[in-house]
Amino acid sequence: MLSKALLILSVVTFIAACQPQKEEINFPKTDLAVNALIPKPLKVVPTHTAFGLSKNTVILTSSANTELEEVGLFLSNKIKSKIGLDIDVNIQDSEKQFEQFIYINLSDSVDLDSPESYQLYIKKDSIFLNAKTVSGAFRGVQTIRQLIPEKSNDTLTDYPLWPVPSGKIWDKPKFEYRGAMLDVARHFFSVEDVKKYMDILAYYKYNVLHLHLSDDQGWRIEIKSWPKLTQIGSKTEVGGGKGGFYTQENYKELVKYAAERFITIIPEIDMPGHTNAASVSYPFLNGNGKKIKPYTGMRVGFSTFDTRKDTVYSFLDDVIGEIANITPGPYFHIGGDESFVTKKRDYNYFIERVEDIVQKHGKQMIGWDEIAHSKIDSTTIAQHWRTASNALKASKNNSKVILSPGKKAYLDMKYDSLSKYGLDWAGHIPVDVAYNWNPETYVPGLPKEAILGIEAPLWSETISTIEELEYLAFPRAIGYAELGWSTSEYLNWEDYKERLAKQLPFLDMMNVKYYPTKLVDWEK
Ligand code: TNX
């Protein structure tokens, strides 16, 4: 503790010593309380002046944790791509003069009570970002990114300044789990597409990306011990396109990219239903008694594994083992939805046996809400999508629940009857409906403590390109970020839609082909 304090003191003294004599800049009045931050922070106190970000700014990170420097470099890169400014991180060159600094530090202050919490003190000459953990610092960096204006003020000094409104921010997430799901099985999306999606999710403080890696129409991840899964099973997709898959190296690259954004990748192998592509590759897996052929339509619920064959479980041991091995995150998702042609008894037997395999490989199991009917362990998590009684059943079992209610959180539902892409089995979900619900009270009787968080699934039956993905995901996914992070009582659509309109420069800069809903006055 003392050494940390000394360290901060020496950094600040060092900084003070480096400060040249400089004239006072009179910033026009700012109001940090009126900003376009999404998700909305817990508490903001404005002090009405500004931090002048400029060529004379540096980023310093506490040497107490080496990973913080990576977070500092991330911020520096994003400042460069947003406003073209080069900012050094932990400058070595003592000759170099700087006038303002952004200091990223870890602190165990009692105010920072959850792992991702952070505080920002923005003053004229400094921004202090204090966080409980490195991931908290990363979340705080997203706030700084959002506060930096696109346009500089070129009249206050003889070089450009980007005034960041001053004040204090205290912030922490409502839920520890804030996820998005991408179905790469119905249509395949490239590594580059998934990375772009993660870039945008990270900006809004998402911390989970769930990849739906297998379904009737395709198998998308290399399994070295069962090569036909990709030699045969990956070659199809909805509508008859060429499909595709991630090699294990590709997958590791995605995991690494996610980790750099403090996002956990959750792999899903959907079973015992949604398994036609696996059974096409290895017909012994099939349990529906019919001759198996490749499937490129959009129906669900016709396939199943043979739950009574030991060889099916040896196969799954290999598959889950190989994937678990390259997945540093704690979770493995086994699907478990819509197994309409699996007998109830067989379904329960299957889920319980697969749970053992998942746990043997050191992972915590997640399944769609139907798994609540089986005797699942209390550490297993149920993902609620359709049936409220399943969510309640899971919580009675002391299992945690992830909320992805189809009527509110499904990114693949059409916005309205004119939507170019999407389905409508759960109804239309316009941008305000997507935002206007409270996850904490959505399932009557579900205790708050049972809710691990929320997740917005994007099923890909009707989309096959990144532009189409973006059309369905944005802007709705931005609203889910806020529902997952911000205190429910502080949220309302009128206030949110103003802040949403101000996301346009970011979405344009990222070249996101969002759906320009008329419910929002997009700022041109
Ligand atoms: C239901 S949600 C499914 C998916 C479909 C989706 C389409 C869930 C667990 N299963 O197989 O892609 O509807 O909206």
Side-chain angles (χ1 to χ4, degrees):
M1 194 62 217
L2 184 68
S3 65
K4 223 185 234 173
L6 279 175
L7 192 87
I8 296 170
L9 195 69
S10 59
V11 168
V12 174
T13 331
F14 165 74
I15 291 161
C18 296
Q19 306 261 359
Q21 284 300 325
K22 51 181 185 214
E23 85 273 28
E24 272 286 292
I25 301 169
N26 283 318
F27 289 102
K29 202 168 175 219
T30 66
D31 192 349
L32 183 62
V34 182
N35 62 59
L37 291 176
I38 298 181
K40 199 180 178 75
L42 185 63
K43 190 172 164 204
V44 177
V45 175
T47 51
H48 307 292
T49 175
F51 172 84
L53 179 69
S54 74
K55 64 178 171 53
N56 300 325
T57 304
V58 294
I59 295 172
L60 303 168
T61 67
S62 156
S63 54
N65 185 308
T66 48
E67 280 178 73
L68 278 181
E69 183 162 283
E70 296 300 315
V71 173
L73 288 166
F74 184 93
L75 176 59
S76 165
N77 281 331
K78 295 305 171 188
I79 291 175
K80 172 81 181 166
S81 47
K82 181 167 184 174
I83 57 176
L85 191 64
D86 285 303
I87 303 269
D88 285 323
V89 179
N90 296 335
I91 42 159
Q92 310 297 326
D93 179 0
S94 59
E95 293 296 296
K96 194 169 164 165
Q97 302 229 318
F98 56 88
E99 291 178 6
Q100 315 93 2
F101 63 92
I102 300 173
Y103 183 56
I104 306 179
N105 182 38
L106 292 188
S107 146
D108 17 88
S109 147
V110 285
D111 289 350
L112 300 166
D113 61 355
S114 76
E116 290 174 285
S117 50
Y118 69 90
Q119 293 169 349
L120 273 175
Y121 300 136
I122 305 167
K123 292 191 274 189
K124 274 190 140 175
D125 296 330
S126 61
I127 296 180
F128 276 87
L129 167 56
N130 283 322
K132 172 106 168 174
T133 65
V134 185
S135 74
F138 185 80
R139 305 301 168 221
V141 156
Q142 308 318 308
T143 303
I144 298 176
R145 288 175 70 191
Q146 293 194 14
L147 288 172
I148 298 171
E150 279 78 32
K151 289 204 184 70
S152 57
N153 183 324
D154 301 344
T155 60
L156 293 168
T157 45
D158 53 9
Y159 52 88
L161 277 183
W162 285 262
V164 177
S166 65
K168 283 192 182 184
I169 293 179
W170 291 260
D171 203 8
K172 64 173 180 183
K174 174 167 71 194
F175 294 128
E176 68 176 79
Y177 184 110
R178 304 176 307 279
M181 186 212 82
L182 181 61
D183 172 7
V184 295
R186 268 52 175 274
H187 283 102
F188 183 64
F189 291 89
S190 68
V191 168
E192 288 315 306
D193 290 346
V194 178
K195 284 185 178 174
K196 183 177 179 193
Y197 197 31
M198 281 199 263
D199 279 333
I200 306 163
L201 296 172
Y203 185 74
Y204 295 107
K205 302 187 173 74
Y206 276 81
N207 64 1
V208 167
L209 179 66
H210 162 187
L211 291 174
H212 183 77
L213 291 167
S214 69
D215 213 302
D216 292 319
Q217 298 87 347
W219 184 282
R220 308 293 178 216
I221 174 95
E222 174 191 23
I223 303 296
K224 294 190 197 281
S225 52
W226 296 88
K228 287 184 189 166
L229 289 169
T230 45
Q231 285 162 3
I232 297 173
S234 78
K235 301 252 155 79
T236 40
E237 62 184 8
V238 168
K242 67 179 183 354
F245 67 95
Y246 305 122
T247 62
Q248 292 197 2
E249 286 309 309
N250 291 154
Y251 180 83
K252 287 189 211 161
E253 191 182 327
L254 286 175
V255 165
K256 178 166 178 281
Y257 198 80
E260 286 160 6
R261 284 151 189 76
F262 296 84
I263 289 176
T264 299
I265 296 278
I266 301 183
E268 176 187 351
I269 297 298
D270 200 352
M271 53 190 149
H274 292 275
T275 45
N276 192 74
S279 291
V280 168
S281 316
Y282 293 102
F284 79 90
L285 297 168
N286 181 34
N288 75 6
K290 298 195 181 131
K291 192 165 165 17
I292 275 289
K293 40 182 197 314
Y295 184 68
T296 58
M298 286 176 25
R299 275 188 305 118
V300 296
F302 60 88
S303 58
T304 183
F305 279 156
D306 186 336
T307 61
R308 299 287 164 173
K309 253 189 214 155
D310 282 338
T311 43
V312 168
Y313 299 96
S314 322
F315 165 83
L316 290 175
D317 193 26
D318 292 340
V319 168
I320 294 170
E322 283 196 35
I323 298 175
N325 240 328
I326 51 174
T327 302
Y331 306 116
F332 191 97
H333 201 305
I334 58 105
D337 57 317
E338 299 173 319
S339 287
F340 302 146
V341 296
T342 321
K343 289 199 185 77
K344 257 199 177 115
R345 251 190 11 243
D346 294 345
Y347 177 85
N348 291 337
Y349 173 77
F350 179 83
I351 297 295
E352 287 152 35
R353 256 187 100 163
V354 170
E355 186 184 65
D356 287 344
I357 300 175
V358 169
Q359 292 182 349
K360 180 184 121 188
H361 290 290
K363 298 295 171 193
Q364 199 174 344
M365 187 169 98
I366 308 180
W368 297 104
D369 63 37
E370 288 96 321
I371 63 159
H373 291 282
S374 313
K375 281 203 204 69
I376 49 169
D377 198 82
S378 62
T379 60
T380 288
I381 298 160
Q383 184 166 6
H384 168 56
W385 67 284
R386 190 166 206 169
T387 311
S389 59
N390 289 346
L392 294 173
K393 208 166 165 26
S395 87
K396 294 224 170 67
N397 185 54
N398 289 322
S399 285
K400 291 270 195 247
V401 175
I402 297 164
L403 292 172
S404 305
K407 290 190 168 99
K408 295 289 184 187
Y410 264 34
L411 287 168
D412 67 317
M413 290 301 116
K414 289 183 169 179
Y415 291 94
D416 52 46
S417 58
L418 299 174
S419 279
K420 287 193 274 181
Y421 311 102
L423 300 172
D424 57 11
W425 66 261
H428 292 152
I429 309 186
V431 178
D432 54 348
V433 171
Y435 182 79
N436 267 325
W437 61 291
N438 181 347
E440 288 170 308
T441 53
Y442 184 75
V443 177
L446 186 67
K448 268 191 201 175
E449 309 71 62
I451 305 171
L452 187 66
I454 71 172
E455 184 178 294
L458 180 47
W459 301 98
S460 62
E461 284 94 332
T462 66
I463 54 170
S464 60
T465 65
I466 182 78
E467 290 80 15
E468 294 163 4
L469 179 163
E470 289 166 3
Y471 174 92
L472 285 177
F474 299 107
R476 289 181 292 197
I478 301 174
Y480 301 132
E482 180 147 300
L483 294 184
W485 180 282
S486 309
T487 309
S488 310
E489 296 86 282
Y490 302 159
L491 303 183
N492 71 75
W493 165 253
E494 292 304 320
D495 165 68
Y496 170 71
K497 78 173 188 192
E498 303 290 319
R499 285 179 291 123
L500 179 56
K502 297 198 176 103
Q503 304 307 306
L504 198 111
F506 173 71
L507 295 174
D508 281 348
M509 178 183 75
M510 296 295 289
N511 190 26
V512 174
K513 299 280 182 287
Y514 65 98
Y515 168 65
T517 173
K518 295 217 163 51
L519 297 168
V520 171
D521 286 327
W522 298 100
E523 297 199 346
K524 291 285 173 229

